[in-house]
Amino acid sequence: MSLPSDTITPQLSQAVLAAMNAATEAEVMPRWRALEDHEIRTKSSEWDLVTDADEAAERMITAALRDLVDVPVVGEEATAKDATLLELVDGAGAVWVVDPVDGTRNFVAGTEAFGCMVALIDDGRTVASWITYPAVGREAHAARGVGAFLDGERLTTPAPTDPASLRGAIASKFHPGDADELHAAAESLGPSKPIRFCAAWDYLDVVTGVTDYVAFTRTLPWDHAPGALICQEAGLTAARPDGSEYLPGGDVRAGILTAHPSVWERIAGVLPVR
C-alpha cells in the first residue's frame, strides 16, 4: 500500500531512532570488539561477512518497524536468505529497508566505522531515512521535502572551498571497468582515497565536508537509500552518473555519485563510472 501523506512525523522519526538504538544497544555494542569466531560467517564470498549482531539486530528492528508502519521490511540479512525480497523495493506501495550493521567488516575489525541504517520507501522513492553511528553516539535523519538533520541540528552542505582540487572517495571493488583508470581520473580532480566500506560513514563524510564527493559502483538499497536522501535534503546531488534519478529499486550494478550541485557535472564528466 502507498503511505498516507501525514505518515512521516517527528514522532515517527523519533520512534524509528529509538528502535534502532534499542537494537544496537542490545545486540551490536555488547559484541563490538568482543566477537567470538563462531559469531562471524561469510555470505556470498569471503569478503562478505555477517555476524550474530547483524542478524539479531535486524530481527529486533524489523519487528519494531512493523509495529510503527505495517509494511514489508527488506532487510539485508533477510534478503541474503530470500533474494525475492529485493523486488519489493522496486514495486508499488511502501517498504522499509534495513541495514542493521553497515560496514560489517569494520565492525568485525573493531573500528568505529560502522552504522545502522533504515529507510522508508514509497512507490519506488525514498521518503524518509535514518542513520545511527553507535560507536560515536551520532545520528542523522531526513524526510523528503522537510530537510536533513545531524544530531538534531538542520544540516546544509556548502559548496567545496577549493573546487579546483576536489577531495573524493572512490569505490572500485565492483567497478565493471578498469579500476586503475577510475583512480587516475579521480586523482585528476584532486586527492582521492578508497571508500570506508561503510556507506553510512562515506555519506557522513561528504555531507559534512570531510570529502567533496563520493562515487559508488554498486547500489544495494539498504546501503544507499538512507544516505542518498540525507545528502539530497542537505543540498547535495545524489544521482546516477549519467544524470538520471537515483531510485533505490534500480539496477544495483549502476553507480551513484554524490557531490554539491556546483561541481557534480564536472565530476561526472571525468569519472568513468556508469
Side-chain angles (χ1 to χ4, degrees), residues 5-266:
S5 59
D6 60 352
T7 299
I8 312 301
T9 64
Q11 291 77 17
L12 175 68
S13 187
Q14 290 304 309
V16 172
L17 288 171
M20 297 165 72
N21 288 333
T24 55
E25 288 170 8
E27 302 293 354
V28 177
M29 294 309 293
R31 294 181 170 95
W32 184 42
R33 297 174 175 170
L35 282 165
E36 302 286 345
D37 287 347
H38 66 85
E39 296 179 294
I40 308 167
R41 297 171 291 285
T42 59
K43 293 189 287 187
S44 60
S45 68
E46 290 186 3
W47 184 86
D48 192 11
L49 300 180
V50 63
T51 72
D52 285 2
D54 297 73
E55 294 178 342
E58 183 170 299
R59 287 193 295 269
M60 276 191 70
I61 294 169
T62 295
L65 295 179
R66 291 296 297 262
D67 285 342
L68 294 172
V69 179
D70 192 14
V71 297
V73 178
V74 180
E76 178 179 5
E77 308 315 330
T79 304
K81 298 173 182 176
D82 180 6
T84 64
L85 287 173
L86 197 57
E87 299 170 6
L88 298 174
V89 179
D90 204 18
V95 297
W96 296 100
V97 296
V98 176
D99 190 343
V101 182
D102 181 51
T104 299
R105 291 187 66 85
N106 299 337
F107 175 72
V108 169
T111 77
E112 295 180 343
F114 64 95
C116 178
M117 302 204 289
V118 171
L120 185 56
I121 296 167
D122 193 25
D123 291 338
R125 286 183 171 83
T126 311
V127 295
S129 66
W130 301 262
I131 303 177
T132 63
Y133 302 87
V136 296
R138 306 195 75 183
E139 63 88 4
H141 64 276
R144 184 169 296 278
V146 175
F149 301 84
L150 178 62
D151 300 329
E153 299 294 328
R154 184 175 289 275
L155 181 61
T156 302
T157 304
T161 56
D162 185 3
S165 181
L166 297 171
R167 302 157 300 162
I170 304 293
S172 60
K173 181 173 179 61
F174 299 102
H175 180 49
D178 186 332
D180 290 337
E181 179 188 4
L182 176 61
H183 285 288
E187 288 294 328
S188 75
L189 292 165
S192 69
K193 62 182 180 180
I195 58 167
R196 292 178 182 247
F197 288 98
C198 174
W201 277 84
D202 284 306
Y203 281 116
L204 180 66
D205 283 348
V206 73
V207 82
T208 57
V210 174
T211 54
D212 296 317
Y213 69 90
V214 61
F216 292 98
T217 51
R218 186 180 70 159
T219 53
L220 292 163
W222 43 79
D223 286 330
H224 299 283
L229 181 65
I230 289 168
C231 289
Q232 289 165 347
E233 288 296 316
L236 300 181
T237 297
R240 298 299 187 186
D242 64 3
S244 60
E245 182 182 5
Y246 163 69
L247 297 172
D251 184 357
V252 301
R253 297 167 297 179
I256 181 171
L257 171 64
T258 302
H260 193 270
S262 63
V263 295
W264 191 93
E265 288 189 3
R266 177 184 163 212

